[in-house]
Amino acid sequence: MAINDVSSSSTVLDQYRTSTATEEKSNELGRNAFLELMVAQLNNQNPLEPTDNQAFVAQLAQFSTVEGLDNLNTTADGMMSQFTSNAALQASSLVGQSVIVEGNSTGLLMSGGVVSGYADVPDSAADMTLSIEDENGVLLEQIPLGNHDAGSISVRWDGYNLMVDGDIVNLDRSKLNAPQYLTDDNGDTILDSNGDPVPAVYDAGEYNFKLSATIGGEAEELDMQMSSRVDSVTMSAGGSVTLNLTGGQRASMDQIKQILDA
């Protein structure tokens, strides 16, 4: 009786083996291979000592686990592909934009553009001063900014106007190194079409911002990260994204501190 039961079970499983063998192996290789091994085991078992119900159920549970892992891998691959696509789309939208990244201490001021700086102020600061230097380290301006609470500070400069945390700073032009207005070869002030003096601005080029303040009674210099333009984006085979910045610098997405308005 036991031999007939085993033979009958084997016949039923043979039907499943035949049907599953016709399925495409590209997506079901792990599941089909496991089923083939289980059927072969049942076909070649000792008919006098057939597999008991508990062992058979355990094998079916293993089969279910293998199938679940296979489906999980497929889902994970799909999620990774979607994540990579989203990262590439986000990075490509930054091309032509200005960003502030960690470790970038020099900012490029383009004609008609703005150069920005960003710093973290660890505690309440007094007597804060912004120093602007050219690419050779020559001091151009020292601008007092007063007191500042703990937190971040953002500076934007177009070569003439200065904004701190979104507010325009009224500069005493008479104390700045740069001339207040443009003059011609005769020393006369140049006027625009409305008859107003044309402000003198610094030329396009690379500049450094340095921030000093008194914090806790001691003079400190704060690291200021500078803005740079994203020229292009590179994606590696592994899906990581690299931003190629003006001047040959490179940065990853997680190094971005700020994305600036055009």
Side-chain angles (χ1 to χ4, degrees), residues 93-100 108 112-116 154-157 163 165-166 227-230 256-262:
S93 67
L94 294 177
V95 175
Q97 293 283 97
S98 289
V99 296
I100 293 180
L108 177 63
V114 175
V115 64
S116 303
S154 297
V155 177
R156 304 192 70 180
W157 182 64
M163 295 184 67
D165 292 336
S227 62
S228 186
R229 191 182 66 181
V230 180
I256 297 177
K257 301 289 289 186
Q258 275 189 342
I259 300 174
L260 305 170
D261 295 332

Side-chain angles (χ1 to χ4, degrees):
M1 185 66 174
I3 294 178
N4 290 336
D5 289 343
V6 173
S7 177
S8 176
S9 299
S10 176
T11 301
V12 172
L13 289 172
D14 281 341
Q15 294 175 0
Y16 283 105
R17 179 177 60 180
T18 301
S19 61
T20 55
T22 60
E23 297 178 6
E24 293 186 14
K25 296 183 179 180
S26 58
N27 296 327
E28 304 293 342
L29 179 60
R31 181 171 60 182
N32 289 347
F34 191 92
L35 185 59
E36 290 282 351
L37 290 173
M38 189 170 66
V39 171
Q41 178 187 5
L42 291 176
N43 283 337
N44 294 281
Q45 67 182 331
N46 186 350
L48 299 178
E49 296 179 359
T51 303
D52 60 25
N53 292 337
Q54 184 176 1
F56 184 70
V57 170
Q59 288 180 332
L60 289 177
Q62 286 180 309
F63 172 72
S64 178
T65 300
V66 170
E67 184 178 21
L69 290 175
D70 187 48
N71 293 336
L72 179 61
N73 289 336
T74 301
T75 302
D77 289 341
M79 292 177 62
M80 180 59 68
S81 177
Q82 184 67 29
F83 175 79
T84 301
S85 298
N86 290 340
L89 182 62
Q90 181 183 14
S92 64
S93 67
L94 294 177
V95 175
Q97 293 283 97
S98 289
V99 296
I100 293 180
V101 298
E102 295 177 0
N104 186 24
S105 59
T106 300
L108 177 63
L109 176 64
M110 303 184 70
S111 180
V114 175
V115 64
S116 303
Y118 173 94
D120 288 315
V121 183
D123 205 345
S124 297
D127 302 324
M128 184 172 286
T129 301
L130 174 68
S131 299
I132 301 177
E133 300 177 350
D134 65 14
E135 58 184 323
N136 298 315
V138 176
L139 178 64
L140 303 177
E141 308 293 355
Q142 277 191 325
I143 304 166
L145 301 181
N147 301 332
H148 197 281
D149 294 332
S152 63
I153 180 172
S154 297
V155 177
R156 304 192 70 180
W157 182 64
D158 63 1
Y160 183 80
N161 298 296
L162 181 72
M163 295 184 67
V164 177
D165 292 336
D167 297 325
I168 296 178
V169 176
N170 294 319
L171 303 178
D172 185 353
R173 300 288 173 185
S174 63
K175 295 182 178 180
L176 300 182
N177 293 338
Q180 186 172 0
Y181 300 107
L182 289 179
T183 57
D184 57 22
D185 294 338
N186 297 323
D188 297 326
T189 301
I190 297 175
L191 304 179
D192 60 19
S193 59
N194 296 322
D196 297 323
V198 177
V201 298
Y202 286 96
D203 295 331
E206 293 186 343
Y207 294 90
N208 303 321
F209 290 172
K210 292 187 177 179
L211 203 60
S212 61
T214 301
I215 300 177
E218 297 184 0
E220 291 190 22
E221 275 202 9
L222 305 177
D223 292 332
M224 179 156 275
Q225 317 298 331
M226 301 297 293
S227 62
S228 186
R229 191 182 66 181
V230 180
D231 286 339
S232 62
V233 173
T234 301
M235 176 167 286
S236 69
S240 61
V241 176
T242 301
L243 305 178
N244 303 312
L245 308 178
T246 300
Q249 296 171 309
R250 294 183 176 182
S252 60
M253 292 289 288
D254 58 2
Q255 288 180 292
I256 297 177
K257 301 289 289 186
Q258 275 189 342
I259 300 174
L260 305 170
D261 295 332

